[in-house]
Each structure stands twice: as C-alpha cells, then as structure tokens.
Amino acid sequence: MTHKHRNAIVIGAGFAGIAVATSLAQKGYDVTVIEKNTQIGGRARQFHCQGFTFDMGPSWYWMPDIFENYFRTFGKKPSDYYQLKRLDPSYSVVFGADDRWRIPANLQELGVLLEQYEAGAAEQLEKFMAQAKYKYEVGINDFVNKPSRSITEFLDIRLLKGALNLDLLTSLSKHVRKFFKHPQIIKLLEFPVLFLGATPENTPALYSLMNYADLKLGTWYPMGGMFEIIRGMETLAREMGVKFHTGETVSQIEVKNGIATGVNTDKDYYPADIVVGGADYHHVEQHLLPTQYRSYSPQYWQKRTMAPSALLFYIGLDKKLEGIDHHMLFFDEDFKLHASEIYTNPQWPSKPLFYMSAASVTDPAIAPEGKENLVLLVPLAPGLEDSEEKRSHYYEIIMNRLEKLIGQSVKDHVIVKKSYAIKDFEQDYNAFKGNAYGLANTLKQTAILKPSCKSKKVANLYYVGQLTIPGPGVPPSLISGLVVGNEIEKDFAEL
Ligand SMILES: Cc1cc2nc3c(=O)[nH]c(=O)nc-3n(C[C@H](O)[C@H](O)[C@H](O)COP(=O)(O)OP(=O)(O)OC[C@H]3O[C@@H](n4cnc5c(N)ncnc54)[C@H](O)[C@@H]3O)c2cc1C
C-alpha cells in the first residue's frame, strides 16, 4: 500500500492533533481530523463577546524557536501567519501592594534588579543562566525530541555524559537555592516550572531550561491573540490536504485482531489505517477502546500526578486600568501552602495565588476602544468539586485582592464576565479529573516513564498531546505532533 492510499484519523484538533495531522499529510497520508467542539484549537480556543476577544487557554508564548522549527518543517515561518511582538517587561510579579517586580526583557537589566535584593545576585544569575542554556540546548535538541519508546534511545555516550550535567536527579528547588537566598528571587526562578504542572521540589533541575526560555528567549505575543497560532496552523494543514470535521465526537475506536480498523463518531464511521489519539490520553484509551486493548489500568491512571486544573474568569471592563502589565503574577500569598493544596492535600486553596493576563495592554484590537480585556486564573487541584458557589466565592477573593494590590476599582467596571473551571474542562475536552495542563512533568513521569506515544496493544494506534511525551504546554504539544508523525512514518514506511 502506498501512503497515498493510507488513511490516518486524528481524534482532536488541539495543537498536538493539528501538528501530527500536518506532519502525516506532508508524508503523503490522507488525513482527517475529527473534533468534538465546533471550533478547533482545543484548550486554546477563543471566544468573542460584546467586542472583546478572549483566548480561553494559553497566553504565554515562550520558546519561539520551537514555533519556528514547527513551521520550518513545512517550509514556512511564523511570520507567514501571524505577527509576533516581544514584551518588555516580559511580565511582572506582585509580592505586595508596594512591591512589584517588573521583569525586564534584557538579562543584564534583570541582574541589576536582583542585585538590589541580594549582593552578588547578578553574577550568580550569569552562572545560573549558563547552566540553564546548556540544559535548554541539550534538553531540547537531544532529549525532548525523543519518542521515549525505549530506554535504548538514551544509551548514547554523548547523551549519558550530557545527563550527568543535566541535574536529572536533583530537584529544581534545591538547584535554585544553591545560587540564591532571597525568597523573592527564589519565587521568580521557581515560577516557570509551574507550567510543567508540578512543584519545584518535585521537578528535576533539568527544567531550569525553563528559566532560559523565560529570561533569555523572552515572552512574546502574537497580535490578535494566541488563537492566531491555531489559525496559522489550520491554514497550513489545509494547504497540505488535511480535512477537519468539527462538531463531531468520536465514540469508539474499532479494533480487530490488534489492529485499529476505524473510528465511530456520533455521525459517521471512518475506516482508518492509522489512528492517532490527540484528545486526552486517558479518555481515548479508557473510553474509546475495548477493555482488552487498553495499555493501562484504571488504577494506573488514578496513581498519575495530573497537572493542575484552573478556575478562570474572562472579564471585560468598561475602562482601562492604570499602570498594569500584560502578564501579572500575584504571588503575595504563601506559594508552598497553595502548592500543597494542589498536590499533597487537594482542596480549594485557602489563600490562592493567581495570575492575570491583560492582553489588551499590548493589543488594542481585542477589546473595544478604551476598555480592558482581562483573564484571571487560579490554579486548582484536579478532581475537586466544582460549583457556582465556589466560583463566586473565589471571584470575590481575587477581585478584592486585585483592587487592593493595583490600587484601583475593578469590580464595579465589569461588563463581561464568564467563569470556566473543572466541570467545563471535563465537559468540553473530556479532560481526566478536569485537568487543564495534562500530566505533570515530575521525575517519575518523565520521558519513558510517561504513558507511551504508541499503544502497547494496538499496532497502529498512537497518542499525542500533553498527557504523553514530552509534556504540557504549547511548544511540547507541537513537538509531540512532529515526533509522533515521524514515528508513524518509521513504523509504516516499509510496509
Ligand atoms: C487555562 C490554560 C492556560 C494555559 N496556559 C499556557 C501558556 O500560557 N503557555 C503554554 O505554552 N501552554 C499553556 N497551556 C497549556 C496548553 O494550552 C496545552 O498544553 C495545549 O493546548 C494542549 O494541546 P493538546 O493538543 O495536547 O490538547 P487539547 O488542546 O485539549 O486538544 C484535544 C482536543 O481533543 C478534543 N476531543 C476530546 N475528546 C474528543 C472526542 N471523543 N472526539 C473528538 N474530539 C475530542 C478536544 O475537544 C480538544 O479539542 C494552558 C492551558 C490552559 C487550559
């Protein structure tokens, strides 16, 4: 059979699903993506209300090199599809009403800022960043792009030597403390691993590569919003021949003698030579596959450390706020207490940390003139009971804190308000325990210790996205799609 006649069905049109679909189309497969929601983009969907445009999920554009590499794979550049702007300050961290650090895009300027709080911090930052750069280069080039199907992939002398320098066995928390003592500097350097869905104590120090991504490679913004990336990827995918079926839910993967033969949806049946699960891994294998073809048990899934869920508020204001930044982290409460209420002792947080994205500071097009577009986010333990009462209670808490910390009224100016939390993640994305960011990148859930990107029991079934390699986040989801596209080609090219 030639590729021209081989059908690939991809379940789910998030970043990873679109990426694997485009990769397979480039290799000559006939690809159809089936997406349950009416809009593609998955967790990165967008909605419009009264002239406001809200990105529903990701708001931080980090690791621009990964996006460049993605589009380069298909002979394109991000600028063929969207216009990027580097933010300066990259973001700000609010430690208290009169204590806000605006993180400059320039690393030397950051050194000067840190030096004011800890003598010698500028020099320590240089040393810390030299290691972070090494980890980024080796980590991204040699480790992250591996399919992690077998330990033998890592038995290369250069990689083994590299591994010793990658601090895989110490935690990020300990690593940061070897360089710095000031609690606020430590918070600043520990914050990026929250994107990986685990605590700094539980994350290998390898991931100080995230500090390189943050402080050196910078925070960017695609004008029009993060959904512009999805639009660009969709245009490219369609150019390559990918077909999208939206508003259609896959209800079952049909398997005969260990081979997936097609998928049933709520509307139709699609025969398939290859099936790729781009929806949450847990959903695909526990709900769409016959029991005997599942690689993992329900107990296995119960034992996984999921990345957090989130409570979000999409807010439109009838005025502009003064002196705010595009990205603001409100770290004025105890980081450890909130983390323990996510991971160790799951419950609604007693004193939540929260994050605010005010993209209209950079991009006037996403709010009506003279108005502000805010997204507020509180990380939550997955699987908590989610109710309107809880959402309202936390809305009051964070609105009051926000008003105090930025010293101006906000609540009375709200003209658009929509909440989104655990139940919505479950309902909209079939997310296990309502997770927002997939599976946490803890040491025990890294590389070959993640749910495998290839089914152990169905020869032509693969998985992509934030619950498999390499992990949560937009750049990893793009990598996931490209790596799995190549694996499929390797496995099937000869047949
Ligand atoms: C609130 C929030 C903020 C975030 N912030 C950032 C950030 O700032 N920067 C960053 O890099 N990352 C961020 N992330 C993470 C990032 O958005 C995700 O890692 C990434 O979008 C995951 O893509 P995916 O393709 O793996 O999954 P998804 O986007 O979930 O795509 C899976 C798709 O499968 C579909 N599906 C499910 N079941 C079925 C079915 N039975 N049939 C058909 N289709 C189905 C779903 O509807 C969905 O569209 C954030 C995530 C959230 C939720």
Side-chain angles (χ1 to χ4, degrees), residues 131 148 155 188 227 298:
Q131 287 195 16
S148 298
L155 295 181
L188 171 71
F227 193 71

Side-chain angles (χ1 to χ4, degrees), residues 2-286:
T2 69
H3 286 177
K4 294 265 175 290
H5 301 116
R6 204 172 264 156
N7 283 326
I9 299 293
V10 177
I11 306 168
F15 277 105
I18 305 175
V20 73
T22 312
S23 169
L24 290 175
Q26 185 185 39
K27 297 173 194 342
Y29 290 78
D30 189 349
V31 190
T32 304
V33 182
I34 303 173
E35 166 56 52
K36 81 185 266 292
N37 292 316
T38 50
Q39 190 186 41
I40 66 163
R43 280 155 165 97
R45 285 180 303 155
Q46 194 170 63
F47 82 93
H48 303 273
C49 184
Q50 296 180 37
F52 292 90
T53 299
F54 296 98
D55 280 321
M56 295 181 70
S59 54
W60 300 74
Y61 189 106
W62 274 11
M63 306 185 177
D65 52 326
I66 308 262
F67 294 85
E68 275 158 29
N69 180 59
Y70 177 77
F71 285 104
R72 194 183 311 118
T73 306
F74 308 103
K76 303 283 185 189
K77 318 186 272 306
S79 59
D80 293 333
Y81 301 99
Y82 50 88
Q83 189 206 334
L84 276 178
K85 186 168 178 190
R86 182 162 183 177
L87 304 185
D88 191 7
S90 300
Y91 52 94
S92 61
V93 188
V94 179
F95 293 111
D98 300 313
D99 192 4
R100 185 198 315 181
W101 290 14
R102 303 181 91 202
I103 307 305
N106 179 297
L107 207 49
Q108 274 72 40
E109 287 175 29
L110 177 64
V112 173
L113 171 74
L114 300 192
E115 194 68 34
Q116 292 168 26
Y117 294 85
E118 183 173 328
E123 203 183 321
Q124 285 298 87
L125 181 67
E126 270 180 38
K127 290 186 193 152
F128 180 83
M129 289 301 286
Q131 287 195 16
K133 178 175 193 276
Y134 172 79
K135 289 176 190 169
Y136 189 85
E137 283 163 1
V138 179
I140 298 291
N141 294 334
D142 292 342
F143 278 83
V144 171
N145 281 302
K146 296 256 177 250
S148 298
R149 281 166 66 179
S150 151
I151 187 79
T152 55
E153 291 166 30
F154 298 94
L155 295 181
D156 169 309
I157 278 299
R158 192 169 75 96
L159 284 189
L160 280 178
K161 261 173 72 189
L164 296 176
N165 293 325
L166 287 175
D167 282 343
L168 274 165
L169 300 176
T170 181
S171 76
L172 185 99
S173 165
K174 284 192 188 140
H175 178 65
V176 170
R177 284 167 175 77
K178 277 190 206 151
F179 290 83
F180 304 98
K181 291 196 180 57
H182 194 281
Q184 289 175 203
I185 301 182
I186 290 174
K187 275 189 192 177
L188 171 71
L189 295 173
E190 286 186 340
F191 131 75
V193 302
L194 300 182
F195 281 130
L196 306 172
T199 57
E201 290 77 20
N202 224 343
T203 301
L206 160 68
Y207 288 105
S208 72
L209 66 84
M210 295 289 284
N211 298 111
Y212 182 73
D214 167 4
L215 303 173
K216 179 70 186 166
L217 301 181
T219 302
W220 300 74
Y221 174 79
M223 295 304 283
M226 294 291 280
F227 193 71
E228 291 304 307
I229 316 165
I230 293 288
R231 274 195 232 280
M233 288 173 65
E234 180 190 9
T235 305
L236 173 60
R238 287 189 190 276
E239 278 165 20
M240 308 285 297
V242 174
K243 295 179 276 299
F244 288 90
H245 292 218
T246 52
E248 185 165 353
T249 303
V250 175
S251 52
Q252 191 198 28
I253 301 171
E254 186 185 66
V255 185
K256 288 189 184 139
N257 303 320
I259 310 275
T261 48
V263 304
N264 284 301
T265 73
D266 53 353
K267 295 186 179 154
D268 217 334
Y269 171 75
Y270 297 82
D273 300 303
I274 305 283
V275 176
V276 186
D280 278 33
Y281 201 127
H282 168 270
H283 167 69
V284 175
E285 81 140 23
Q286 297 289 308

Side-chain angles (χ1 to χ4, degrees), residues 420-436:
Y420 197 94
I422 299 172
K423 270 191 199 157
D424 301 296
F425 283 106
E426 287 171 343
Q427 218 169 308
D428 289 352
Y429 308 118
N430 289 316
F432 182 45
K433 298 185 177 174
N435 78 78

Side-chain angles (χ1 to χ4, degrees), residues 24 76 252 309 339 343 348 358 390 402 407 423 433 442 484:
L24 290 175
K76 303 283 185 189
Q252 191 198 28
S309 185
Y343 297 100
W348 282 81
K390 283 281 184 210
L402 176 65
K423 270 191 199 157
K433 298 185 177 174
T442 60
V484 172

Side-chain angles (χ1 to χ4, degrees), residues 283-302:
H283 167 69
V284 175
E285 81 140 23
Q286 297 289 308
H287 295 288
L288 305 184
L289 270 182
T291 320
Q292 70 271 32
Y293 290 119
R294 297 173 190 166
S295 303
Y296 304 103
S297 65
Q299 293 75 8
Y300 168 90
W301 283 107
Q302 283 306 335

